[in-house]
């Protein structure tokens, strides 16, 4: 019963950030160098950030980064300069935190130039900062949700895991860890930062996880991952859960809530 109420509170807390389908107006800049510190960034993805985003990565302001909960979220962004920019824009994956309040996003050069009209890429880059609009969209991967055991884990006393390829339009608000065979007491992991969760109470043997996923105004759900990690888990290894997350936000964005009409 206590477990149920804890999850319920997590669901309710998520509603405040729910208006994911609305268009927001802001500005965007671009990285001058696409390096591991940018595509790995504050989310700690490292080189995997480049693979996950296919080079279309971004840093976002604290209100979108949300102390790391926003890591891995996908956004459609498009600039508004009709002489330089196309009407479709491009998709970016959030991998870093932007502390410069002049823009909501700093995006990779690849993403920035993808917003340009044909033959206008270099001219758009020279602008440095552009007016833009954005909305959150579902992430789509050709891979299952995966778990990487972080390098600084220390078996059997401490474990940190990194969740990768989180699909859909979702937030992971909690991770529950337990022994697969039911021995011992399960417990919630702590968010270290971004997609990294940790615990000092490491179950013995194979490990079972329950990932709590919420999406917009959806009530959320717990995804049970049996044998998420084998008994012989190793630091740095990536384990395929065999599960894909495809939940999307279900709410309608009223103008009184977001100040914009839904993306058309």
């Amino acid at each position: 019963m206590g477990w149920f109420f804890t999850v319920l509170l997590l669901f309710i807390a998520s509603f405040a950030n729910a208006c994911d389908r609305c268009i927001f107006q802001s500005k965007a800049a671009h990285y001058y160098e696409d390096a591991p510190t940018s595509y790995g960034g504050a989310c700690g993805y490292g080189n995997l950030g480049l693979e996950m985003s296919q080079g279309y990565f971004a840093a976002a302001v604290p209100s979108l980064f949300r102390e790391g909960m926003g890591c891995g979220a996908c956004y459609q962004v498009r600039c508004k300069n009709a002489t330089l920019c196309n009407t479709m824009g491009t998709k970016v994956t959030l991998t870093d935190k932007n502390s410069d309040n002049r823009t909501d996003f700093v995006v990779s050069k690849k993403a920035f130039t993808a917003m340009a009209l044909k033959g206008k890429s270099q001219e758009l880059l020279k602008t440095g900062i552009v007016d833009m609009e954005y909305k959150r969209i579902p992430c789509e991967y050709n891979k299952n949700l995966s778990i990487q055991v972080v390098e600084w884990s220390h078996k059997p006393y401490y474990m940190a895991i990194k969740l990768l390829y989180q699909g859909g339009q979702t937030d992971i608000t909690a991770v529950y860890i337990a022994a697969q065979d039911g021995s011992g007491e399960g417990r919630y992991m702590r968010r270290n930062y971004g997609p990294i969760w940790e615990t000092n109470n490491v179950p013995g043997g194979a490990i079972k996880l329950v990932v709590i996923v919420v999406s917009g105004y959806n009530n959320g759900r717990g995804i049970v991952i049996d044998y998420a990690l084998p008994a012989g888990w190793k630091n740095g290894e990536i384990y395929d859960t065999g599960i894909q997350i495809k939940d999307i936000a279900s709410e309608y964005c009223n103008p009184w809530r977001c100040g914009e009409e839904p993306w058309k």
Side-chain angles (χ1 to χ4, degrees):
M1 184 64 70
W3 185 88
F4 171 81
F5 281 114
T6 301
V7 174
L8 181 62
L9 287 172
L10 287 165
F11 292 165
I12 294 170
S14 73
F15 292 169
N17 299 316
C19 201
D20 279 342
R21 288 188 175 183
C22 299
I23 302 172
F24 296 91
Q25 310 295 322
S26 185
K27 295 180 182 293
H30 64 82
Y31 287 106
Y32 285 93
E33 181 180 2
D34 293 349
T37 51
S38 54
Y39 54 72
C43 292
Y45 288 128
N47 290 334
L48 288 170
L50 188 60
E51 178 187 335
M52 290 171 58
S53 67
Q54 299 182 330
Y56 296 89
F57 54 86
V61 288
S63 61
L64 298 176
F65 185 75
R66 292 179 293 141
E67 298 183 349
M69 190 180 293
C71 287
C74 296
Y75 291 87
Q76 188 76 14
V77 296
R78 60 186 182 189
C79 54
K80 299 173 67 176
N81 185 327
T83 63
L84 297 177
C85 304
N86 61 52
T87 58
M88 292 300 296
T90 190
K91 183 188 86 169
V92 295
T93 302
L94 199 161
T95 63
D96 200 3
K97 180 180 178 180
N98 172 30
S99 299
D100 185 345
N101 60 12
R102 294 180 301 169
T103 67
D104 275 6
F105 285 91
V106 179
V107 305
S108 64
K109 283 185 178 180
K110 186 175 183 179
F112 201 85
T113 56
M115 296 189 292
L117 290 166
K118 186 176 180 179
K120 298 289 186 177
S121 297
Q122 292 306 310
E123 192 174 348
L124 183 62
L125 278 175
K126 290 178 182 178
T127 64
I129 296 177
V130 293
D131 291 321
M132 54 87 77
E133 55 189 14
Y134 67 90
K135 68 169 183 175
R136 190 173 176 183
I137 60 173
C139 295
E140 298 179 357
Y141 297 110
N142 292 322
K143 292 190 176 185
N144 298 323
L145 178 70
S146 298
I147 301 168
Q148 183 179 40
V149 179
V150 178
E151 290 80 357
W152 62 77
S153 297
H154 187 67
K155 194 174 185 177
Y157 308 108
Y158 172 82
M159 172 191 284
I161 60 171
K162 186 184 301 180
L163 299 177
L164 306 169
Y165 307 110
Q166 175 187 335
Q169 197 172 349
T170 58
D171 294 331
I172 292 177
T173 60
V175 178
Y176 186 81
I177 187 170
Q180 183 64 45
D181 63 9
S183 62
E185 182 182 352
R187 63 190 68 241
Y188 283 101
M189 303 183 78
R190 302 179 301 272
R191 188 189 294 274
N192 181 296
Y193 68 90
I196 299 176
W197 298 80
E198 64 182 1
T199 183
N200 293 104
N201 301 98
V202 184
I207 290 175
K208 173 181 182 177
L209 296 177
V210 181
V211 176
I212 309 302
V213 174
V214 297
S215 180
Y217 284 114
N218 290 347
N219 288 333
R221 63 189 180 110
I223 300 175
V224 178
I225 308 173
D226 287 317
Y227 296 97
L229 297 174
W233 56 265
K234 296 179 180 179
N235 292 11
E237 291 292 314
I238 297 176
Y239 299 92
D240 188 329
T241 67
I243 293 171
Q244 290 194 357
I245 301 175
K246 298 182 178 180
D247 305 51
I248 63 172
S250 62
E251 84 284 352
Y252 174 76
C253 292
N254 292 311
W256 64 265
R257 181 175 176 81
C258 295
E260 298 291 341
E261 293 296 329
W263 191 284
K264 298 177 181 178

